[in-house]
Amino acid sequence: MEKKDKITVVTMGCSKNLVDSEALLGQLKRGSASLVSDIDLADVAVINTCGFIESSKQESLDAIFEALERKKRGELKKVIVMGCLAERYRRELAAEIPEVDAIFGSNQLQDVVTELGVDYKQELLGERVLTTPSHFAYLKISEGCDHPCSFCAIPLMRGKHRTKPIEAILEEANHLASRGVKELILIGQDTTYYGLDLYGGRQLKRLLLELSEVSGIEWIRLMYAYPAKFPLEILEAFQQSPKLCRYLDMPVQHASDEVLKSMRRGITNRATRDLIHRIKDAVPDIALRTTLIVGYPNETDREFQELHDFVGEMEFHRLGVFTYSQEDDTIAFPLADPVPAEIKEQRRDAIMALQKEVSAQRNNALVGSTVRVLIDRHEDGFAVGRTEWDAPEIDQEVYVKEGERFAAGFTAECADGNFCQVKIVDAVEYDLYAIPHDQENAINV
């Protein structure tokens, strides 16, 4: 019998790309392909690329060139490129890197599977090989985006918005729960648009409540909520379902009306403020996460100061900042890139310095309180977990100190993938430190 080539999949970029890679691995596994997680052990490397901004494109290109160097040394037989960068720059990649064996866009999973010598199985839709820890999984509820944001190339790479049917999502959620997944992280280019194309109206509230009925799922986390025309009815779902994490990821991008108008965000400063206040009033214990862009072409010192003041007033729980990246074929491309890189970086640093103060104040206020954490891993004598106010990989963590002489059962309670009640005993700007809730009452043995 001919020995099978060992295949590895290298994923670049966001969680949406990660789900695509997991779906590919699911197809390959069912097709009895030989899979390895380490490229050092592989014969074939599939690079799932990101094309979002310049830095992510460069990281993807670096991964491709590294794999091609391995191929040149005889360590790899084939290098296959797929994903967003391939969708956007297929011709350029084919012309400039002919050593790549095959190139596939972001919506060509079936073709990638076939290229790897496996029969594609339609009935496996939703089945994946999880590459996250087994207790949480990303759940993609839609694909593509209909918004005309001037800076964004996602519609060029992912196409128009396409809602995944509720039945398919529930089937996937039940399958994940049966495998031990306890936390579902809902993702899409715009999760609040969910259902509009397929059902004639937004159906996110219905989806959230139906997912809350899935046995075994304890946390449901909502990411990528678009602020314009935000469906306020989903706030009722937060009130009705204890499984919904009091957490909302809502990228606002900017606070200046001039910048928001040029960005084509479909919302104003006042409307954004009103929305944030309505969310906080409806769900008082919610943690709001946002992302911002600094250095957009028409952002002067005045517009940046508006953004800085806005961040200080809104006091987001979690916040990330991108510097503007001029992207080919986007609406904003003709505006050029007039803000110098060093100014962009200064503005980013100023926002993050402000956010650091906000985060430190919030974390210090938690010292002495008892919270529930989901343990992700153990390292250096700590059980490392997250509260419901923190998403994996992008937000802060709770470090739970494992003492030498706790009451029986502590180790099992705070094992990977378990929920654990802990008492916060110390805080820094972006992390918390804790002990098991029952440490003070622990029986020495």
Side-chain angles (χ1 to χ4, degrees):
M1 182 177 295
E2 184 179 353
K3 184 179 179 181
K4 294 182 179 179
D5 287 337
K6 298 182 180 68
I7 302 169
T8 193
V9 179
V10 179
T11 305
M12 313 301 296
C14 68
S15 54
K16 296 178 282 290
N17 257 18
L18 183 69
V19 171
D20 293 342
S21 291
E22 291 177 345
L24 171 60
L25 290 168
Q27 290 280 344
L28 297 177
K29 182 178 180 180
R30 277 297 191 95
S32 299
S34 178
L35 303 176
V36 293
S37 58
D38 190 342
I39 195 170
D40 289 334
L41 304 176
D43 301 303
V44 178
V46 181
I47 314 296
N48 189 1
T49 59
C50 177
F52 181 49
I53 57 177
E54 189 60 37
S55 59
S56 57
K57 288 187 286 186
Q58 188 59 54
E59 288 175 0
S60 293
L61 288 171
D62 289 345
I64 294 170
F65 287 125
E66 179 185 342
L68 289 175
E69 281 297 314
R70 290 174 179 270
K71 180 183 176 185
K72 187 176 180 180
R73 295 195 299 265
E75 298 168 11
L76 289 173
K77 297 179 182 178
K78 295 178 69 174
V79 175
I80 296 171
V81 174
M82 62 177 286
C84 291
L85 188 72
E87 180 73 33
R88 192 173 173 193
Y89 297 108
R90 186 193 309 259
R91 292 179 182 175
E92 292 86 344
L93 290 172
E96 296 178 19
I97 317 178
E99 300 89 348
V100 170
D101 294 277
I103 301 173
F104 300 98
S106 55
N107 299 305
Q108 292 185 277
L109 175 63
Q110 182 171 349
D111 295 328
V112 179
V113 173
T114 302
E115 173 70 21
L116 292 168
V118 173
D119 291 332
Y120 180 83
K121 295 179 173 59
Q122 185 73 24
E123 68 273 14
L124 294 182
L125 290 178
E127 293 192 31
R128 297 141 52 187
V129 172
L130 292 183
T131 56
T132 58
S134 60
H135 55 276
F136 73 81
Y138 295 99
L139 182 57
K140 191 187 292 189
I141 67 172
S142 61
E143 185 60 90
C145 185
D146 286 356
H147 295 294
C149 299
S150 65
F151 54 85
C152 186
I154 286 176
L156 301 173
M157 299 180 287
R158 292 285 182 172
K160 302 280 286 182
H161 179 95
R162 303 180 300 283
T163 290
K164 183 187 292 187
I166 287 180
E167 296 76 16
I169 294 174
L170 291 175
E171 182 180 353
E172 186 172 355
N174 277 287
H175 179 69
L176 291 169
S178 72
R179 296 168 58 186
V181 169
K182 298 177 181 178
E183 177 184 10
L184 296 176
I185 305 167
L186 307 190
I187 59 173
Q189 272 70 43
D190 172 15
T191 54
T192 53
Y193 201 89
Y194 180 82
L196 199 57
D197 57 320
L198 184 61
Y199 301 112
R202 297 176 190 256
Q203 296 294 318
L204 183 57
K205 177 187 175 183
R206 175 188 165 193
L207 175 64
L208 291 172
L209 293 178
E210 293 202 28
L211 284 172
S212 297
E213 299 299 319
V214 175
S215 178
I217 298 300
E218 298 191 47
W219 277 0
I220 300 169
R221 188 179 303 279
L222 183 60
M223 309 292 291
Y224 303 108
Y226 197 85
K229 299 181 180 179
F230 183 91
L232 291 169
E233 64 269 14
I234 71 170
L235 301 179
E236 299 170 3
F238 281 96
Q239 296 164 346
Q240 294 171 28
S241 172
K243 289 187 177 183
L244 287 182
C245 291
R246 271 43 185 173
Y247 178 99
L248 180 65
D249 169 62
M250 185 175 70
V252 300
Q253 308 300 11
H254 216 279
S256 160
D257 283 338
E258 289 81 3
V259 175
L260 288 169
K261 182 178 180 180
S262 182
M263 284 182 168
R264 300 193 177 194
R265 291 291 287 171
I267 196 169
T268 63
N269 177 302
R270 178 180 292 275
T272 303
R273 290 172 181 270
D274 289 345
L275 174 59
I276 291 171
H277 289 309
R278 293 188 71 169
I279 293 171
K280 290 181 177 180
D281 288 343
V283 193
D285 55 346
I286 199 166
L288 282 174
R289 185 182 209 284
T290 197
T291 51
L292 307 171
I293 296 174
V294 295
Y296 186 81
N298 72 335
E299 182 192 72
T300 66
D301 288 343
R302 181 174 66 85
E303 282 78 39
F304 172 71
Q305 190 60 50
E306 285 186 65
L307 177 61
H308 191 274
D309 293 344
F310 171 81
V311 170
E313 293 170 25
M314 293 298 101
E315 294 188 337
F316 291 97
H317 288 72
R318 314 285 179 252
L319 185 147
V321 183
F322 291 97
T323 57
Y324 175 73
S325 175
Q326 185 187 25
E327 295 299 319
D328 300 338
D329 300 322
T330 58
I331 296 169
F333 184 81
L335 300 178
D337 193 9
V339 181
E342 60 269 23
I343 298 298
K344 294 179 186 177
E345 292 167 5
Q346 289 171 13
R347 292 176 179 175
R348 177 191 59 200
D349 292 346
I351 294 288
M352 292 310 301
L354 178 58
Q355 180 61 25
K356 188 176 182 179
E357 295 177 9
V358 172
S359 184
Q361 291 173 3
R362 289 191 179 279
N363 281 356
N364 285 329
L366 288 172
V367 173
S369 65
T370 299
V371 297
R372 186 181 189 224
V373 299
L374 178 58
I375 302 300
D376 287 331
R377 67 186 188 280
H378 281 68
E379 63 177 39
D380 300 329
F382 289 94
V384 186
R386 294 173 288 110
T387 70
E388 67 175 306
W389 306 304
D390 298 291
E393 301 172 337
I394 57 174
D395 292 330
Q396 68 181 18
E397 295 177 308
V398 182
Y399 289 80
V400 186
K401 182 62 178 177
E402 294 193 82
E404 296 178 359
R405 302 171 72 182
F406 290 123
F410 162 67
T411 302
E413 179 188 358
C414 286
D416 288 1
N418 280 2
F419 288 95
C420 185
Q421 291 290 124
V422 303
K423 181 179 179 180
I424 306 300
V425 296
D426 197 7
V428 293
E429 291 89 349
Y430 296 121
D431 284 309
L432 297 168
Y433 292 87
I435 58 175
H437 178 244
D438 63 350
Q439 178 178 355
E440 293 175 338
N441 300 318
I443 302 172
N444 290 334
V445 294

